[in-house]
Structures are given as C-alpha cells and as structure tokens.
Amino acid sequence: MTILVVSTVHHADDTRIREKLIRTLAQRWEVVYATRPPGPTDPAGLSWRPLPGGRLRRNLEAARMMATGRHRAVVVHDPELIPAGILARLVRRRPVVFDLHENLPGQLATKEWVWPPLRAPLGWLARLLLRLAERLLVVTLAEDGYRPLFRRDHPVFPNYLDPDRLPPVGTTGDGIVYVGDVTAERGVPLAVEAAGTSGVDAAMTIVGRCSPELEARLQALAARYGLVLEVTGRLPHARAMVLASGAGLGLAPLLDTPNYRGSLPTKVLEYLAVGIPVVASDLPETRRVVGERPGVELVAPGEVETWAEAIRQMYRDRSWQERARAGAEAVRRDFRWPIEDVLSFYQALIDRADRG
C-alpha cells in the first residue's frame, strides 16, 4: 500500500512536491509519483509514473490511477484534479488530499489567456471549486494567506526551507540573480530593466522556466541597457541554490496582484539562507515575515526607477552582504519545512481511514 502523489501540470522537479513533500512522505511510506514527462531528475525514494499526452489525456489517466489503484492516500496538486479526487474518494474510500499552491481566484484574475470579461465569472467558479474540495476532500495550504478562501480552518505547511539541502553560507560574489518561474506577473521584465538602468557593473542570471518569447524580450531589454544576461532555464533545485549562493544580490520582484499579495516568495528565504541580500517587492505578507530581517530591502512593486536605485545602493554598499551572511543561520533555523508536522498529519489521516 502506497501514497499516490499526482500532478498533471507541475514539472516533476517542482520544489514543494518533489523536494519537500515526497522526501518527507518517503521517510515512512512508499510513494508513487505521477506527472507529465520528463520524470524527476532524482528518482530516489519514489516510483515515477508518466502521464503522457496532452492535458486532457493526462487528466484522464490521472483519474484512472486515482480511482483504480490501491493506495493508502492520494495527494493532488492541481485544482483541475479536484473532480477526479472526489471520484477516487467515493470509489476507493481512502483519503484524498488537495494541496493548494496558489490563490486560484487571484491567479485567474491576471492570466493573459483569460478573456477579461470572463475573469470575474471564472474567479467565482474557482471559489466554488475550492469550497467543493473543502466539503469532500482534505485540504492543505501552502500559505497562511489562502485561509480566507475557505470557510473552515485547514493545515498550513508553508514553503519553508530544508537547510540540509542548501549549500553552505560562503563568500558572496558580484552577480545579480533571480530564481523562480519567469513571467511578467512575477516582475521579471521589470527586474531586468531595473538592473540594466541601475548603473552597476554586474551580470544578471535568471534561473527558471521561461517561454522562448519572454526570453527574447528579456534579452532585448538587456541589450538595450548593455546588461549581460544569462537565462539558464529550469535547473534542479540544488544546482539553482549553488548558483544563487555565488551571487551578490537576489531579486524577488513580484507585482502587486491578488495572487501574490498574501504570499511570501520562497526565493526570499532561499536567498537569505545562502547569505545573499535581497531586494523584494513590498507586499503585505513579505513585509510581515521578513521585513525586519537583516539583508532585506523592500521596494514598491512595479516601479522601475525605485528598483534601480535600490539595486544600485545595495550592490555598492557591501555591508548589506555582511548583514545577510550574519543572518543566514537564523533564517535556516526559523524557517524550516515542517517535516514532523507533515508526517504526523498524514499518519493521523491514514490511521483514521484504516479504522473505517
């Protein structure tokens, strides 16, 4: 009997799913992990099952696996799998967990592919889908800020750090780095323009999934300002953190959208944990959690000139790096992925199901 972890949307190396949740569950149970190809870079501690084909085919295959497999529990990570999760819960009589990664209604409000007149109705349908999950599935959250989306309270397992899988705090370098998915909503074009107009003599590295169209746009921006820019694409998390640890400054330029306003960017904690200072958007949850941490400068989101000035000042004043290195161990201590809480939660869930 295994735990089945399913995502038809996320990359198999998704940090929350692969590096945190599955590594934790694998300490106590066998884990079957189903995702779209390619499979995880590191297959240790799991059995990977490919979900090939287009999105519809992947969802149908995921639904079949969930409804026919003999699993002690199922964990789904995509809102579109909620109906299949409900079916599996009714057919197999085993617990199905829906782990919410994003503010779904807020996310739909800014998606370019959603026709603007449809955004409000789709947001309403998204809230209805989440309430349906709340009634028929077990819900866990990645952020405290997602609590208002539900009527009841649900466990929060925040996207904190696994210090054992981070590189040691060393001497920071001279580059500027951004780690994370590369989108306009995450403020990456703004970050490139701000770095280019800041006047500092530093190359910039962007690590994360990026569409060819956006990469071309970013390279054109960089060329306009004489900025040396490297876009690496997605890297395994361990390699991304090694690269970040050698930079001189990290950027977290989220725009002020409903999806991000109540979220803490995990990259901010990761930058601080490897000892590099960070310029981050001044959003409520970011300010609440890390606003007083050494090495953090909060800047109004979306303002290129203000971001350029912050980059200029922090890059040229090396005391920011000293403060970030001095505070790194405290960040690693205070923001740890809650391994024992996750194990206790799933053990209690499975025990209740076993008792019928």
Side-chain angles (χ1 to χ4, degrees), residues 71-289:
H71 308 291
R72 304 198 75 180
V74 175
V75 191
V76 299
H77 295 271
D78 316 319
E80 62 197 66
L81 288 177
I82 289 174
I86 292 170
L87 176 63
R89 175 73 182 91
L90 296 174
V91 170
R92 303 304 306 179
R93 299 292 180 181
R94 302 300 303 182
V96 177
V97 178
F98 170 58
D99 187 43
L100 181 64
H101 293 213
E102 303 270 358
N103 179 329
L104 182 60
Q107 186 183 47
L108 290 171
T110 58
K111 286 294 185 183
E112 292 184 357
W113 54 266
V114 179
W115 188 39
L118 290 180
R119 289 174 180 171
L122 285 177
W124 179 84
L125 287 174
R127 288 183 175 85
L128 185 64
L129 185 64
L130 294 181
R131 296 290 173 80
L132 188 64
E134 181 175 47
R135 291 185 60 187
L136 298 172
L137 303 180
V138 178
V139 174
T140 59
L141 311 177
E143 299 271 3
D144 279 309
Y146 302 158
R147 292 183 189 274
L149 296 172
F150 298 92
R151 289 192 173 94
R152 301 197 303 269
D153 196 25
H154 299 284
V156 178
F157 301 130
N159 280 325
Y160 286 171
L161 310 167
D162 181 355
D164 296 335
R165 302 188 64 79
L166 291 175
V169 178
T171 302
T172 52
D174 293 324
I176 298 170
V177 68
Y178 169 91
V179 179
D181 281 349
V182 184
T183 66
E185 291 81 9
R186 292 174 183 265
V188 182
L190 173 144
V192 171
E193 187 173 358
T197 57
S198 67
V200 303
D201 184 18
M204 182 173 181
T205 302
I206 294 175
V207 182
R209 179 179 57 186
C210 182
S211 70
E213 297 79 12
L214 182 54
E215 181 176 355
R217 177 185 168 191
L218 297 177
Q219 290 291 2
L221 265 177
R224 182 189 307 171
Y225 299 111
L227 174 69
V228 176
L229 175 66
E230 179 184 9
V231 182
T232 69
R234 180 186 288 275
L235 295 178
H237 186 254
R239 285 181 58 194
M241 289 299 96
V242 169
L243 191 153
S245 69
L249 181 64
L251 304 183
L254 294 180
L255 300 185
D256 186 6
T257 68
N259 188 27
Y260 299 137
R261 197 169 298 134
S263 298
L264 169 68
T266 305
K267 64 177 67 69
V268 172
L269 298 178
E270 292 173 336
Y271 295 149
L272 294 174
V274 298
I276 66 171
V278 54
V279 183
S281 292
D282 189 359
L283 297 172
E285 189 67 4
T286 304
R287 173 172 288 278
R288 183 184 72 82
V289 179

Side-chain angles (χ1 to χ4, degrees), residues 20-37:
K20 296 175 183 175
L21 180 64
I22 289 179
R23 288 192 187 280
T24 300
L25 297 178
Q27 295 181 23
R28 192 167 296 179
W29 298 281
E30 294 182 16
V31 177
V32 175
Y33 185 28
T35 69
R36 58 187 174 91

